[in-house]
C-alpha cells in the first residue's frame, strides 16, 4: 500500500502544495504588516507636519510662545482622550517637554524622549498605555531654538488584524490540506485508470493464449512503450515456449522407438515357454536398447543443461593434436570394423577450452564421418591455423549431404534421410556439437557433395 | 496368412517378425519405404504393418502410392506419433487401422486378425466348418469337440483354407500365403501338407471337409 504511485503522488502533491500555501500566506502576512505600519507612519508624519506647520504660522505672526501654551489644550477628538493610543509631545532643545497632548497629560505620562535630528525617526515602542505604538521623532528649527516633535499612534488595531489573519490562515490550512489531498487522490485515480485497464489486459495473457498481443493503438501515449516492450517480451516467450514444446515432443518421440522395441521383446518373449538361449538373446537385445535409450537421455540432458546454462565449462589450454589423437584412439576400433581408415595430419594448435566438451565435439564429428561413410572409405583429419583461429577439418568419403539438408543437420532431432536402414543415433549429436563450439566462441561449417563425401570444419579461437 | 512389416528399426522389425511367425504367420520384412512399396506390390500380402517414419519414402507416401495403383491390401499404420491429425491423415490416405508406438503385441495380433476377417466372409475369431472349429486367436483346433494337435505349418495351411471356406484355392495361392520370399518351394509340398491335414482332420471323422478340385486346387467345405 505504501509503495503505490497514487499514495506517493498524493503525499508529494500535499507536501508541495502545503509549502506553497504556507509561503504565500507568510508573504501576504508580512506585506500586510508592512502596509499597516506604513499607514501608521504616514499618519504620525502628517500629525507632526500639521503641528510644525501650525507653529511655523504662529511664529510668523510672533505668537509662537502663546501658541505653545495653548496647543496642548486646544485639541479635541482622540488626542483629548486619556491614553487613547494617539499621542504627541513637543520637546525643547534642552530636553524639556514643552507640550503634551491631553491623552498624555491627563494620565501624566510622556513619550520617551529620544535624541533626534531633522530626519524623521520611526520606531515601534511600548506606549504609555502598555500598547504598541509607532512613534515618529523629528526636529524642526524655530526662532526659539530647535524643537523636537514626537507623535505616536497605537498599532494594537493593526496587531489585532494581523492576529485574526493568522488565525484564519491556521484554520484554513488543515482544510486546504484535506481538500487538496482528496482532489489529488481523485485526479490520480482517474489518471491511473488506463494503467489499470492495461494491467487487466496484460493479466489476461497466459501460456494458453501467448500468441495474443496487446493492442498498441488504443493505449495512452505514456503506456505505448510499455505495451511495445510487453509485446516484444511475449514474442520471445512464445518462441521459447514453442521451442520447449517442440523439444519435449521430439524427445518423447525419440524415446518411443526404443521403448517399443523393449516392449515388443518382452511381449513376444513372454508369450510362450522358451529355452534359456532365447531368453538370453531377448535380454541382450533389451540391454542394447536400454543403452541406446540412456545415450539419448544423456544427450537430452546435456542439451537442456546447456540451454539452462548450468554446465560450466572449465577452460584449460588444450593442444588439439593431442586431443584428436585421443579421439582417434577411441574411435579407431569401430572404424576398423567397417574397414575405414582414419588419417590425422597438420600441426598442434593450442586453444583454450573445456577438455570434455571439445572431446565430445570431435568424437561426434568423427563418429558421424565413420557412420555415414562407405565401407572401406577414409576419414581424414587436418589440424591447422588460419588468422588466429584453430581450424579442424574432418573429411569423409561417404554419401554426402544434399544441399537442402545442410541447413537442418544441426537442428535437434534432425536426421538425414539416409540410405537403407541407417538410422542409428539420437539426432542430437550435431546439435550438441554446435552448441559446445559456439559456447567456445567458435563455429562449425559443412561442405558436402552428394556421393563424394562431407567435410566438417570447426574453427576455434587460438590461445594467444 | 502372409504379413509384410515395413519398419526401419531392424531390431523392432526382427522381434515383430519373430512374434508373428510364432503365431503361424508368414512374414516378409522391408526396412525402408521403397522396398516396402515394391514388396507390397509384388507379393500377395494379406496384411501390411507399415511404419510412418521411414527412410527413402515415408509410410503415408507408400500407402498413397499403393492405393493409387489399386492395391487393396489391408494396412495397419505404426507410428510414434499419436497426434489426432496424423491419425486422420493416415486413415484418409487409405490405412485400415492405426497403432501408436509403444503398443502391446497382443493388440497388434488382434488387429491383424480383425483385418484378415474383414477381407473374408468370416466374422468371428473362431471359424466353424461343420463340426470343425478353428480358434484363430489361440490356434486351437477341434473336431467334434475333440482337440487336434497341428504343427505350425499345418495350422497355417488349415487357417488359410478356413478363411476361404467354400472357395477353391490354388496350390500357388497356398504356397504364396504360407511361405515368404526367402522360401523357394515346389508346389508339391502343398500336396504333402494337405495329406498330413487330411490324416488329422478327416481320417477319423465322418464327413470329409478337405476336397481336391482336379486341375484347380483344394477347397474346405461341408460335403
Amino acid at each position: 500500500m505504501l509503495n503505490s504511485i497514487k499514495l506517493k503522488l498524493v503525499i508529494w502533491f500535499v507536501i508541495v502544495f502545503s509549502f506553497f500555501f504556507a509561503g504565500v500566506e507568510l508573504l501576504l502576512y508580512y506585506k500586510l504588516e508592512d502596509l499597516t505600519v506604513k499607514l501608521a507612519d504616514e499618519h504620525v508624519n502628517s500629525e507632526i507636519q500639521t503641528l510644525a506647520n501650525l507653529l511655523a504660522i504662529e511664529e510668523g505672526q510672533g505668537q509662537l510662545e502663546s501658541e505653545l501654551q495653548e496647543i496642548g489644550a486646544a485639541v479635541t477628538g482622540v488626542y483629548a482622550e486619556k491614553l487613547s493610543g494617539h499621542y504627541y509631545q513637543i520637546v525643547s532643545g534642552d530636553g524639556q517637554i514643552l507640550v503634551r497632548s491631553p491623552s498624555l497629560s491627563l494620565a501624566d505620562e510622556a513619550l520617551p524622549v529620544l535624541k533626534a535630528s531633522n530626519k524623521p525617526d520611526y520606531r515601534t515602542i511600548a506606549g504609555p498605555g502598555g500598547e504598541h505604538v509607532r512613534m515618529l521623532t523629528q526636529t524642526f528649527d524655530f526662532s526659539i531654538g530647535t524643537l523636537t516633535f514626537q507623535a505616536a499612534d497605537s498599532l494594537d488595531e493593526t496587531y489585532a488584524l494581523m492576529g485574526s489573519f493568522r488565525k484564519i490562515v491556521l484554520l484554513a490550512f488543515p482544510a486546504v490540506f484535506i481538500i487538496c489531498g482528496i482532489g489529488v487522490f481523485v485526479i490520480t485515480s482517474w489518471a491511473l485508470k488506463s494503467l489499470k485497464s492495461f494491467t487487466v489486459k496484460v493479466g489476461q495473457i497466459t501460456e494458453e493464449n501467448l500468441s495474443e498481443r496487446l493492442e498498441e493503438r488504443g493505449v495512452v501515449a505514456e503506456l505505448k512503450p510499455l505495451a511495445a516492450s510487453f509485446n516484444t517480451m511475449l514474442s520471445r516467450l512464445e518462441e521459447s515456449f514453442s521451442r520447449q514444446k517442440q523439444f519435449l515432443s521430439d524427445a518423447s518421440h525419440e524415446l518411443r522407438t526404443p521403448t517399443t522395441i523393449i516392449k515388443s521383446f518382452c511381449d513376444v518373449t513372454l508369450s510362450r515357454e522358451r529355452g534359456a538361449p532365447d531368453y538370453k538373446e531377448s535380454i541382450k537385445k533389451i540391454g542394447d536398447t536400454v543403452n541406446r535409450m540412456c545415450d539419448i537421455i544423456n544427450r537430452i540432458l546435456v542439451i537442456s543443461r546447456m540451454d539452462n546454462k548450468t554446465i560450466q565449462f572449465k577452460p584449460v589450454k588444450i593442444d588439439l593434436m593431442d586431443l584428436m589423437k585421443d579421439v582417434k584412439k577411441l574411435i579407431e576400433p569401430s572404424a576398423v570394423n567397417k574397414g575405414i581408415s582414419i588419417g590425422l595430419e597438420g600441426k598442434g594448435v593450442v586453444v583454450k577450452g573445456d577438455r570434455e566438451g571439445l572431446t565430445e565435439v570431435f568424437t561426434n564429428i568423427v563418429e558421424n564421418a565413420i557412420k555415414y561413410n562407405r565401407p572401406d572409405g577414409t576419414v581424414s583429419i587436418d589440424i591447422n591455423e588460419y588468422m588466429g583461429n584453430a581450424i579442424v577439418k574432418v573429411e569423409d568419403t561417404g554419401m554426402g549431404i544434399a544441399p537442402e539438408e545442410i541447413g537442418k543437420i544441426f537442428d535437434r532431432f534432425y536426421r538425414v534421410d539416409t540410405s537403407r536402414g541407417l538410422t542409428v543415433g539420437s539426432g542430437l549429436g550435431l546439435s550438441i556439437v554446435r552448441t559446445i563450439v559456439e559456447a567456445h566462441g567458435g563455429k562449425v561449417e559443412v561442405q558436402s557433395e552428394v556421393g563424394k563425401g562431407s567435410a566438417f570444419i570447426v574453427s576455434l579461437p587460438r590461445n594467444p | 496368412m502372409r504379413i509384410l512389416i515395413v519398419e526401419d528399426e531392424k531390431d523392432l522389425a526382427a522381434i515383430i517378425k519373430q512374434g508373428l511367425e510364432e503365431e503361424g504367420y508368414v512374414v516378409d520384412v522391408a526396412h525402408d519405404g521403397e522396398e516396402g512399396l515394391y514388396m507390397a506390390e509384388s507379393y500377395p500380402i494379406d496384411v501390411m504393418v507399415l511404419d510412418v517414419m521411414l527412410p527413402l519414402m515415408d509410410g503415408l507416401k507408400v500407402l498413397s502410392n499403393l492405393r493409387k495403383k489399386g492395391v487393396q491390401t489391408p494396412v495397419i499404420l505404426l507410428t510414434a506419433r499419436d497426434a489426432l491429425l496424423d491419425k486422420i491423415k493416415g486413415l484418409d490416405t487409405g490405412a485400415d487401422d492405426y497403432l501408436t508406438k509403444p503398443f502391446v503385441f497382443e493388440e497388434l495380433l488382434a488387429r491383424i486378425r480383425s483385418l484378415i476377417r474383414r477381407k473374408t466372409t468370416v466374422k468371428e475369431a473362431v471359424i466353424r466348418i461343420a463340426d470343425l472349429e478353428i480358434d484363430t486367436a489361440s490356434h486351437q483346433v477341434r473336431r467334434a469337440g475333440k482337440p487336434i494337435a497341428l504343427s505350425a505349418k499345418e495350422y497355417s495351411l488349415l487357417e488359410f483354407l478356413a478363411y476361404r471356406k467354400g472357395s477353391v484355392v490354388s496350390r500357388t495361392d497356398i504356397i504364396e500365403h504360407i511361405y515368404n520370399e526367402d522360401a523357394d518351394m515346389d508346389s508339391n509340398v502343398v500336396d504333402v501338407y494337405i495329406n498330413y491335414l487330411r490324416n488329422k482332420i478327416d481320417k477319423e471323422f465322418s464327413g470329409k471337409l478337405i476336397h481336391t478340385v482336379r486341375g484347380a486346387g483344394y477347397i474346405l467345405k461341408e460335403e
Side-chain angles (χ1 to χ4, degrees):
Chain A
M1 184 58 207
L2 274 174
N3 194 16
S4 116
I5 291 183
K6 207 190 274 183
L7 191 73
K8 278 180 183 164
L9 269 178
V10 169
I11 290 174
W12 275 111
F13 202 84
V14 165
I15 289 174
V16 169
F17 194 78
S18 304
F19 273 105
F20 177 74
F21 185 74
V24 167
E25 295 306 324
L26 276 175
L27 190 76
L28 275 179
Y29 183 80
Y30 285 111
K31 270 279 170 218
L32 190 62
E33 192 180 31
D34 205 36
L35 201 69
T36 48
V37 169
K38 242 185 205 142
L39 273 173
D41 287 354
E42 266 173 36
H43 195 249
V44 288
N45 186 38
S46 75
E47 185 65 33
I48 281 181
Q49 293 304 326
T50 308
L51 282 174
N53 282 341
L54 194 64
L55 287 183
I57 291 166
E58 294 299 325
E59 188 183 30
Q61 293 172 356
Q63 294 175 349
L64 180 60
E65 302 284 333
S66 62
E67 185 58 27
L68 275 174
Q69 300 299 315
E70 288 166 22
I71 205 165
V75 289
T76 54
V78 286
Y79 290 104
E81 286 167 31
K82 181 181 169 186
L83 290 182
S84 64
H86 300 270
Y87 316 104
Y88 62 82
Q89 65 185 22
I90 300 170
V91 184
S92 68
D94 54 6
Q96 283 263 299
I97 296 173
L98 303 177
V99 178
R100 279 190 292 183
S101 62
S103 50
L104 284 172
S105 54
L106 286 174
D108 197 22
E109 290 276 2
L111 295 171
V113 178
L114 299 175
K115 239 187 176 176
S117 69
N118 60 353
K119 279 195 180 135
D121 172 10
Y122 294 102
R123 55 182 71 188
T124 304
I125 57 163
E131 72 275 65
H132 290 95
V133 292
R134 190 69 176 167
M135 187 175 77
L136 170 62
T137 310
Q138 195 175 2
T139 60
F140 293 90
D141 291 328
F142 287 92
S143 50
I144 56 165
T146 302
L147 294 178
T148 302
F149 286 69
Q150 287 188 298
D153 253 359
S154 167
L155 284 173
D156 277 7
E157 266 173 48
T158 304
Y159 282 148
L161 185 70
M162 302 302 298
S164 60
F165 180 79
R166 213 162 44 222
K167 226 178 267 168
I168 289 169
V169 167
L170 285 178
L171 278 176
F173 201 76
V176 166
F177 205 86
I178 290 166
I179 289 168
C180 155
I182 292 172
V184 173
F185 186 82
V186 170
I187 289 168
T188 45
S189 301
W190 176 76
L192 291 176
K193 215 186 246 169
S194 51
L195 187 65
K196 204 167 193 178
S197 70
F198 183 78
T199 313
V200 170
K201 268 191 243 160
V202 173
Q204 278 163 352
I205 295 176
T206 64
E207 58 182 87
E208 306 298 328
N209 55 352
L210 262 183
S211 55
E212 279 183 26
R213 292 291 175 272
L214 298 168
E215 181 74 58
E216 283 178 47
R217 258 182 304 166
V219 174
V220 293
E222 286 82 354
L223 292 181
K224 249 177 209 165
L226 189 63
S229 352
F230 256 112
N231 284 342
T232 318
M233 189 186 77
L234 282 173
S235 301
R236 279 203 300 258
L237 263 183
E238 191 188 3
E239 195 196 312
S240 133
F241 247 74
S242 75
R243 242 188 304 136
Q244 291 280 345
K245 253 189 208 162
Q246 186 60 43
F247 182 69
L248 202 64
S249 130
D250 287 347
S252 62
H253 179 259
E254 280 310 306
L255 289 173
R256 267 183 197 209
T257 301
T259 312
T260 309
I261 295 174
I262 292 171
K263 186 149 182 52
S264 300
F265 267 99
C266 293
D267 284 354
V268 171
T269 308
L270 291 173
S271 66
R272 59 197 67 221
E273 288 299 318
R274 294 170 194 281
D278 279 1
Y279 287 122
K280 211 170 158 182
E281 177 64 23
S282 275
I283 292 171
K284 194 181 158 298
K285 280 277 187 227
I286 289 172
D288 289 347
T289 316
V290 168
N291 286 342
R292 208 173 112 191
M293 265 177 120
C294 288
D295 188 46
I296 296 173
I297 291 169
N298 281 338
R299 289 178 170 208
I300 289 173
L301 275 179
V302 167
I303 285 205
S304 78
R305 277 198 203 125
M306 280 194 288
D307 277 355
N308 296 332
K309 308 227 182 302
T310 48
I311 281 193
Q312 291 293 319
F313 285 122
K314 291 178 222 100
V316 289
K317 284 183 185 177
I318 299 168
D319 187 330
L320 286 179
M321 184 56 88
D322 293 344
L323 187 101
M324 271 321 225
K325 276 179 187 160
D326 290 345
V327 170
K328 188 183 165 194
K329 220 179 281 169
L330 203 73
I331 295 177
E332 212 141 39
S334 65
V336 170
N337 277 345
K338 282 188 77 176
I340 292 168
S341 60
I342 305 179
L344 178 56
E345 285 175 16
K347 55 175 183 171
V349 183
V350 178
V351 294
K352 205 162 185 193
D354 183 72
R355 184 171 290 279
E356 223 169 287
L358 290 180
T359 307
E360 173 88 25
V361 165
F362 292 113
T363 310
N364 263 305
I365 293 178
V366 179
E367 265 177 355
N368 275 345
I370 290 165
K371 201 195 294 175
Y372 297 107
N373 217 322
R374 60 178 160 80
D376 305 317
T378 57
V379 174
S380 40
I381 305 168
D382 181 72
I383 306 171
N384 227 312
E385 75 174 279
Y386 178 71
M387 288 179 64
N389 282 322
I391 311 282
V392 181
K393 190 170 178 183
V394 179
E395 250 176 309
D396 64 50
T397 53
M399 61 197 81
I401 307 162
E404 67 269 18
E405 308 250 14
I406 284 184
K408 302 183 202 158
I409 55 169
F410 291 105
D411 291 351
R412 282 167 194 183
F413 297 110
Y414 187 79
R415 270 194 299 223
V416 175
D417 196 10
T418 58
S419 69
R420 322 221 142 193
L422 192 74
T423 49
V424 196
S426 60
L428 285 172
L430 285 179
S431 170
I432 290 178
V433 163
R434 185 172 65 177
T435 314
I436 295 177
V437 169
E438 282 176 359
H440 280 81
K443 59 181 180 181
V444 205
E445 281 172 272
V446 189
Q447 296 168 350
S448 188
E449 203 175 324
V450 175
K452 280 197 164 175
S454 314
F456 281 77
I457 301 148
V458 177
S459 60
L460 292 165
R462 198 173 62 89
N463 189 51
Chain B
M1 290 292 139
R2 189 161 174 178
I3 311 234
L4 172 61
I5 301 168
V6 191
E7 166 63 62
D8 60 332
E9 285 290 339
K10 285 183 176 161
D11 286 341
L12 184 57
I15 191 63
I16 296 176
K17 179 176 167 35
Q18 186 194 333
L20 290 178
E21 278 174 350
E22 286 174 358
E23 284 294 312
Y25 293 108
V26 176
V27 181
D28 296 285
V29 173
H31 288 123
D32 66 65
E34 283 178 2
E35 193 187 3
L37 180 60
Y38 167 78
M39 288 172 89
E41 284 178 281
S42 319
Y43 304 136
I45 302 295
D46 292 300
V47 174
M48 184 172 176
V49 179
L50 181 61
D51 191 18
V52 172
M53 302 255 283
L54 286 171
L56 300 183
M57 185 190 287
D58 76 52
L60 291 181
K61 202 138 182 213
V62 172
L63 188 56
S64 71
N65 276 337
L66 269 184
R67 295 302 186 232
K68 246 182 247 162
K69 288 174 180 165
V71 180
Q72 294 304 320
T73 313
V75 170
I76 300 178
L77 277 183
L78 215 55
T79 178
R81 282 185 278 184
D82 58 358
L84 186 65
L85 270 178
D86 285 344
K87 289 185 191 172
I88 293 170
K89 206 171 156 199
L91 292 172
D92 280 348
T93 311
D96 300 84
D97 208 343
Y98 207 102
L99 208 52
T100 308
K101 288 179 185 176
F103 52 86
V104 179
F105 196 71
E106 274 299 319
E107 188 181 351
L108 176 65
L109 291 178
R111 286 177 188 272
I112 289 173
R113 284 196 296 270
S114 152
L115 285 186
I116 290 172
R117 283 202 300 274
R118 220 183 282 173
K119 274 215 318 189
T120 65
T121 53
V122 179
K123 290 292 160 264
E124 272 183 278
V126 180
I127 307 173
R128 291 184 181 84
I129 301 122
D131 56 353
L132 176 69
E133 282 182 5
I134 303 157
D135 187 333
T136 54
S138 65
H139 292 195
Q140 280 177 347
V141 179
R142 290 164 185 270
R143 183 150 190 204
K146 204 178 141 204
I148 298 168
L150 295 178
S151 77
K153 244 347 172 241
E154 288 163 358
Y155 175 82
S156 295
L157 175 57
L158 178 62
E159 194 192 75
F160 185 67
L161 290 173
Y163 273 122
R164 286 161 179 73
K165 63 179 176 179
S167 329
V168 181
V169 185
S170 73
R171 284 182 179 80
T172 324
D173 254 4
I174 294 173
I175 284 279
E176 282 183 342
H177 283 93
I178 65 173
Y179 287 103
N180 69 7
E181 56 163 349
D182 304 329
D184 185 16
M185 286 298 173
D186 189 80
S187 68
N188 284 333
V189 80
V190 175
D191 299 332
V192 175
Y193 276 110
I194 288 284
N195 238 345
Y196 292 158
L197 265 187
R198 275 186 169 141
N199 280 336
K200 292 185 177 178
I201 287 173
D202 279 348
K203 201 176 169 187
E204 291 167 25
F205 300 93
S206 63
K208 278 173 62 175
L209 295 176
I210 303 171
H211 308 272
T212 310
V213 182
R214 200 166 293 276
Y218 298 96
I219 182 169
L220 188 66
K221 63 165 187 181
E222 280 184 70
E223 238 170 342

